[in-house]
Amino acid sequence: MSELTRIPAPDGLAPAAQYSHVVMGTGTFVAISGQLALDENGKLVGEGDAAAQARQVFENLRRALAAAGATFDDVVKLTYFVTDMAHMPAIRAARAAHIPDDRLPAASAVQVASLVRPEFLMEVEAFAVVAP
């Protein structure tokens, strides 16, 4: 695990409620492609269910991070792509199961018209820094 510094409220910026404004560290940069709510066989998990899809997405992120020798403790940035901002509470709940509030990464949330297939409600990508 790398040593990361989180700055939730840099001078002149309003404090962040659900993310850190700045996260920095030294080590190996790891980029995790956007993860969808697919199980290990490529089957959709949770059709029409934002909470079920969010749980699967974060499980897929966990597995992808592990493949790089990383954990959620190493994540410096999450980007959420959602078809409806109403899905954000489900994403926050799934994230909370993996990342405590005192270790929140930087984050961006973007509402999109659609994802690669219409049944996907969200996609989440991650960037991490792993200790050298």
Side-chain angles (χ1 to χ4, degrees), residues 21-39:
H21 277 290
V22 178
V23 182
M24 56 190 171
T26 58
T28 302
F29 181 75
V30 176
I32 305 296
S33 292
Q35 296 298 304
L36 299 163
L38 294 172
D39 67 14

Side-chain angles (χ1 to χ4, degrees), residues 47-109:
E47 185 163 358
D49 183 343
Q53 287 198 23
R55 286 189 300 271
Q56 184 65 46
V57 163
F58 273 85
E59 176 58 20
N60 292 349
L61 286 169
R62 186 194 65 74
R63 290 176 180 170
L65 287 163
T71 70
F72 280 104
D73 284 340
D74 302 307
V75 172
V76 296
K77 175 81 166 41
L78 291 171
T79 305
Y80 312 107
F81 301 96
V82 294
T83 57
D84 188 329
M85 282 295 174
H87 302 320
M88 288 305 298
I91 289 173
R92 287 188 195 106
R95 183 197 64 207
H98 296 277
I99 304 172
D101 285 348
D102 65 340
R103 300 195 54 82
L104 291 174
S108 299

